[in-house]
Amino acid sequence: MAESKLAWQKFIPSFRTLFTASAIIRIGLILYSEWHDARSIVKYTDIDYRVFSDAARFLIHPNAGSGNIANGPLTEWLGLHIGNPYTRETYRYTPLLAVLLLPNELLHPSYGKYLFAACDLLNGVLIYRILVTVILPWFDSRPPSPHPDTDDRKGTSQHVAGPEDDALAAFLAGSHLLNPLVFSISTRGSSESLLCTLVLLTLYFALQRRWDLAAIMLGISTHWKIYPVIYGASCVVAITSRTRWDPKSLLRLWGLVCKKTIRFAILSASTFFALGGLCYAIWGYPFLYEAFLYHAHRLDHRHNFSPYFYLTYLSYPERAASEPRVIPMWHRLIRSPLMSLIPQLSLSIGTGLIFGGRLMDLPFAWFVQTYTFVLFNRVCTSQYFLWYTLFLPLLAPRTRFSWFCCAVWVGMQAMWLAEAYKLEFMGDNVYFSLWLRSLVYFAGHAWVLGRIMQGYATGAM
């Protein structure tokens, strides 16, 4: 029986083999991108990568005459001669990203792609480690330790992963490493893999109950991109899960307040504000606006899966200028960013409070929080899907997945992209029909989330 039970392991390569194959694929694609871009009008490299590279170049080539100069209070006080990455239009990220990509200008133009690919590989390692050291031992068929949430400082059970656990962890980590969506986005020069690394490190420390490190990483992640702040809700619930917090009663929010949660909040917020304060001191208001304030009223009526995009199109400044008219108050209210933030944050934070009650459920809570955040966001592109698909390998051991759900998830995107092609490449006026498809996409992806939530509950061991 034991031999037949473990026979399937022979068909799964070791994690080291999968890791090596993943590295070779990424290196090959980066080398191919250099060859392809030099010979083709349609580039393999993502436009965002050129934005990052230009920002790094502006950073190390300051020019006060052209306005490319950092004007933060610290740089003016000390008389520092530093360039401003926000001189590059459409650069709306933390300046630390431009700092990390300085080797693009100093060493090799493809340095950033190798950095993002390395983050991809690190993400695979983190997924593998979380599975082997935390998730699989928790749900192993062997008798667990009496209190898996509190048996030691790290919060893990005392199991050592056996051959079956190791093979399953390698398979699940490999599903991320060998995912075409994942390696194509990083090798084209998108920085999402770097953000995913920060998020996974936060989750890893949280699952190990190393809350101080988790708080610091959450602050760094939120500085990098604001959305990880929603994970704070589920972390606070997980910290207090064995004390006073009762997820069935939202009226008992006072149960979330204790020394540990206050310490977590202070550490996380201090890290976020320290990084933000440093960047503001060097680059001033351009950093504050481009990295944070801009996204509060961002308008994107193209490249956007969100059903909100049609209202954005109808009220886009250029269109409004060509068709001046009185806009009713209720139109303005619906178009307001607050109207999308209310359901988005209510669901993202609310699901964290509900599903974060047990430490072992933290990956599931973060998945649901991220999924709802992306689904209800005013702007949604394909890269945003990486924010929540990152957690799928961690859910698989206790979730019943359906191939039909995968087909619906992919099919809704394909249906939308087929119509978006007419708008982007053929110039057809298909805004209304594209909006109808956005509604279908929204309903389909919401249904998939419901099925995954149901599968997690019924598939729990």
Side-chain angles (χ1 to χ4, degrees):
M1 288 294 292
E3 293 181 0
S4 61
K5 183 179 179 181
L6 301 180
W8 59 274
Q9 295 178 33
K10 296 184 294 185
F11 301 99
I12 298 179
S14 67
F15 178 73
R16 179 175 297 181
T17 301
L18 292 171
F19 181 89
T20 303
S22 302
I24 293 173
I25 290 173
R26 284 163 172 78
I27 293 172
L29 284 174
I30 294 172
L31 294 174
Y32 167 76
S33 71
E34 297 175 0
W35 178 88
H36 177 95
D37 290 351
R39 291 165 175 78
S40 176
I41 298 177
V42 180
K43 306 300 183 183
Y44 178 86
T45 301
D46 194 305
I47 185 63
D48 284 346
Y49 187 73
R50 301 176 191 176
V51 173
F52 303 155
S53 299
D54 290 345
R57 184 170 64 253
F58 280 119
L59 193 62
I60 59 175
H61 295 296
N63 187 337
S66 63
N68 177 32
I69 190 74
N71 58 359
L74 182 62
T75 51
E76 292 182 354
W77 181 50
L78 297 178
L80 300 177
H81 202 54
I82 301 174
N84 180 13
Y86 301 105
T87 303
R88 198 334 177 159
E89 294 183 4
T90 73
Y91 182 78
R92 299 187 173 99
Y93 310 87
T94 171
L96 300 183
L97 177 59
V99 172
L100 280 180
L101 295 187
L102 287 177
N104 276 16
E105 185 72 13
L106 301 174
L107 297 178
H108 193 278
S110 292
Y111 166 84
K113 294 182 182 179
Y114 287 105
L115 173 63
F116 301 149
C119 288
D120 256 355
L121 298 174
L122 177 57
N123 294 340
V125 173
L126 287 171
I127 290 172
Y128 176 78
R129 291 295 301 166
I130 291 173
L131 286 167
V132 168
T133 62
V134 181
I135 293 179
L136 292 179
W138 263 336
F139 303 111
D140 204 328
S141 58
R142 290 168 292 178
S145 59
H147 302 289
D149 279 352
T150 58
D151 56 355
D152 58 15
R153 180 175 177 269
K154 295 184 177 182
T156 58
S157 63
Q158 300 300 318
H159 290 147
V160 177
E164 189 173 0
D165 284 347
D166 190 77
L168 179 57
F171 173 78
L172 293 174
S175 71
H176 173 82
L177 288 171
L178 298 177
N179 186 336
L181 180 66
V182 173
F183 62 66
S184 63
I185 285 179
S186 62
T187 56
R188 292 185 65 218
S190 171
S191 64
E192 298 301 332
S193 60
L194 180 53
L195 173 66
C196 291
T197 299
L198 298 175
V199 169
L200 277 177
L201 282 172
T202 307
L203 178 62
Y204 178 76
F205 291 132
L207 291 173
Q208 298 284 337
R209 285 196 175 276
R210 299 163 72 177
W211 292 114
D212 288 352
L213 287 175
I216 293 171
M217 289 308 307
L218 181 62
I220 297 173
S221 302
T222 305
H223 170 82
W224 213 263
K225 227 154 207 181
I226 196 67
Y227 86 87
V229 70
I230 62 177
Y231 301 144
S234 50
C235 284
V236 166
V237 175
I239 292 172
T240 60
S241 61
R242 301 190 67 84
T243 55
R244 293 168 291 169
W245 170 242
D246 179 8
K248 296 180 180 179
S249 176
L250 294 180
L251 297 177
R252 297 180 60 186
L253 291 177
W254 57 266
L256 297 177
V257 180
C258 64
K259 290 183 179 179
K260 290 184 178 180
T261 56
I262 292 174
R263 179 186 177 92
F264 180 88
I266 291 176
L267 275 174
S268 182
S270 298
T271 303
F272 172 77
F273 285 111
L275 289 173
L278 175 63
C279 292
Y280 179 81
I282 297 175
W283 289 282
Y285 182 76
F287 152 73
L288 193 62
Y289 176 80
E290 298 291 353
F292 297 109
L293 300 181
Y294 165 80
H295 298 280
H297 58 83
R298 176 181 176 184
L299 299 177
D300 193 342
H301 66 297
R302 305 169 79 97
H303 326 290
N304 188 359
F305 284 91
S306 172
Y308 290 107
F309 98 93
Y310 192 59
L311 288 174
T312 301
Y313 162 70
L314 293 177
S315 59
Y316 203 69
E318 295 179 0
R319 189 175 187 274
S322 63
E323 301 178 15
R325 57 192 176 89
V326 178
I327 301 177
M329 180 60 69
W330 70 275
H331 277 198
R332 298 179 186 178
L333 183 62
I334 293 176
R335 209 169 54 225
S336 170
L338 290 177
M339 293 304 295
S340 61
L341 280 176
I342 291 173
Q344 182 185 33
L345 293 183
S346 297
L347 287 170
S348 298
I349 296 176
T351 52
L353 294 174
I354 294 172
F355 297 122
R358 297 189 302 174
L359 192 66
M360 66 180 70
D361 292 327
L362 212 52
F364 174 70
W366 285 25
F367 169 80
V368 177
Q369 286 183 274
T370 314
Y371 198 112
T372 54
F373 185 91
V374 171
L375 189 61
F376 284 84
N377 201 33
R378 288 178 64 86
V379 178
C380 178
T381 66
S382 297
Q383 294 178 357
Y384 291 12
F385 300 147
L386 290 180
W387 296 355
Y388 59 80
T389 56
L390 178 71
F391 301 111
L392 286 177
L394 304 178
L395 305 185
R398 63 176 302 187
T399 306
R400 295 178 181 175
F401 289 103
S402 166
W403 287 107
F404 184 67
C405 285
C406 297
V408 171
W409 188 80
V410 174
M412 295 298 100
Q413 297 173 53
M415 176 200 64
W416 186 92
L417 290 170
E419 192 73 0
Y421 176 84
K422 299 177 183 178
L423 174 65
E424 298 294 337
F425 295 97
M426 301 176 65
D428 295 345
N429 187 352
V430 293
Y431 283 99
F432 183 75
S433 60
L434 188 59
W435 175 62
L436 294 178
R437 296 192 180 210
S438 293
L439 296 178
V440 176
Y441 147 82
F442 180 87
H445 276 219
W447 178 84
V448 169
L449 175 60
R451 296 296 297 175
I452 292 177
M453 293 170 66
Q454 183 181 12
Y456 184 81
T458 59
M461 292 184 181

